Amino acid sequence: MSSSSRKSSLNKPLKGRGTGNNLAGRFAITLVEIDENDDAIALLETSSPKTEVRHERAKTLISRNQSPDVPFRQSINPYKGCEHGCIYCFARPSHAYLDLSPGLDFETKLVAKTNAALLFQEELAKPNYRCEPIALGINTDAYQPIEKQLAITRQLLEIALAHHQPISLITKSTLILRDLDILIQMAAKRLIHVAISVTTLDNDLKRILEPRTASGKTRLQVIKKLRKAGIPVTVLIAPIIPFINDNELESIVAACAKVGAQSVNYIMLRLPHEVAPLFEDWLKQHYTERAEHVLKRIMDMRGGKLYDSRFGKRMTGEGVFADLIKQRFHSARRKHGLDNNRLSSLDCRHFKVPPKEGDQMALF
């Protein structure tokens, strides 16, 4: 039985995991209910599972999109699934395509594209490739824990540097500091932008909201170290969740400005597909008395639904509360001198086509 065809009714929090819920993906054909009275199964379901990593030889690497809501048209994701376990992660529904659950499977059954470096060179060398910035790790974090051993992201950065391919990185991990040697060289050639995601400065909230990530204060230190090394850094306050972390908006902007961030943006909570029931389950576990109030406010911003996928609305929401967040954000940004985007543009002018396949090993 595939894990996506199994739905546990024992949706209890698991230590170090974002959810204990292994709800079926939306493409699952069979749904089996587990009897909570079976002690053996109950023990199995509530024990904390270990992380499993499957190595995949991907067929393609660079993805392309036409969304007006994001500032890039090309992206690369070295990994599927993410061990960080952020309950709100908009990428969770993608695990349903693997016949896995967007719940617990998403953060425990990971896929690593082990041939990513070779594919990257091949795709950059295609005759029809036109250089423009590539967003790295936009779906799942390129610096999640398994990157420490696999170093796929580092290999991709080495190739980008060698061929002057501009990269935009987004992460919430301290592991990015491992690659300072490459990032410094890329910054000198205007080939790198880094976005650090800061969701909360409250470590108690962080432990349940995004359990296997660095604390907010640690992320501030990452920003400081990157800026000291001359790396362009912006901050993404994401997601803003009503009555959970929206009260921190101004303090996060202030703290990021203090450590040298050059710009800041925000995204309202998004709950596509299976993320909605997972988040609702999380709310009822950790904020029982507040849960209905939070959900109602989310629906107020999403036209009476938990999610609105329309371009121009899905990132910010609409209505009185969404407008208030927008006003507070812009006021805080102006107060701390971050109202203008001070990041220099990435330079695509010096892109160098990779060598032919027989000469590629000369790079390593």
Side-chain angles (χ1 to χ4, degrees), residues 84-86 88 172 199-200 206 208-213 219:
H84 281 160
C86 304
Y88 54 77
K172 56 189 67 171
T199 313
T200 179
K206 194 246 20 137
I208 57 174
L209 188 64
E210 34 189 37
R212 297 199 175 197
T213 64
R219 293 182 219 179

Side-chain angles (χ1 to χ4, degrees), residues 174-280:
T174 61
L175 187 56
I176 190 174
L177 297 177
R178 177 201 64 185
D179 295 338
L180 263 182
D181 58 326
I182 302 175
L183 298 176
I184 289 171
Q185 295 178 71
M186 294 184 75
K189 300 176 184 294
R190 289 172 51 199
L191 296 175
I192 191 72
H193 282 168
V194 172
I196 300 297
S197 172
V198 180
T199 313
T200 179
L201 300 178
D202 180 343
N203 212 30
D204 290 333
L205 174 57
K206 194 246 20 137
R207 287 190 189 100
I208 57 174
L209 188 64
E210 34 189 37
R212 297 199 175 197
T213 64
S215 69
K217 291 181 179 178
T218 300
R219 293 182 219 179
L220 293 177
Q221 291 306 305
V222 170
I223 296 169
K224 187 174 183 178
K225 290 175 182 177
L226 289 170
R227 289 298 302 127
K228 186 176 181 180
I231 314 299
V233 179
T234 189
V235 169
L236 190 59
I237 306 174
I240 292 180
I241 308 172
F243 307 120
I244 299 296
N245 72 338
D246 66 286
N247 62 307
E248 295 187 69
L249 179 58
E250 288 82 0
S251 58
I252 292 175
V253 173
C256 292
K258 187 175 181 180
V259 293
Q262 293 166 286
S263 67
V264 61
N265 283 291
Y266 77 96
I267 296 176
M268 292 299 301
L269 176 69
R270 294 185 286 162
L271 298 175
H273 301 299
E274 294 91 348
V275 186
L278 287 168
F279 182 76
E280 186 172 355

Side-chain angles (χ1 to χ4, degrees), residues 89-104:
C89 183
F90 69 88
R92 283 183 178 273
S94 63
H95 243 45
Y97 292 104
L98 305 178
D99 195 27
L100 294 169
S101 170
L104 186 60

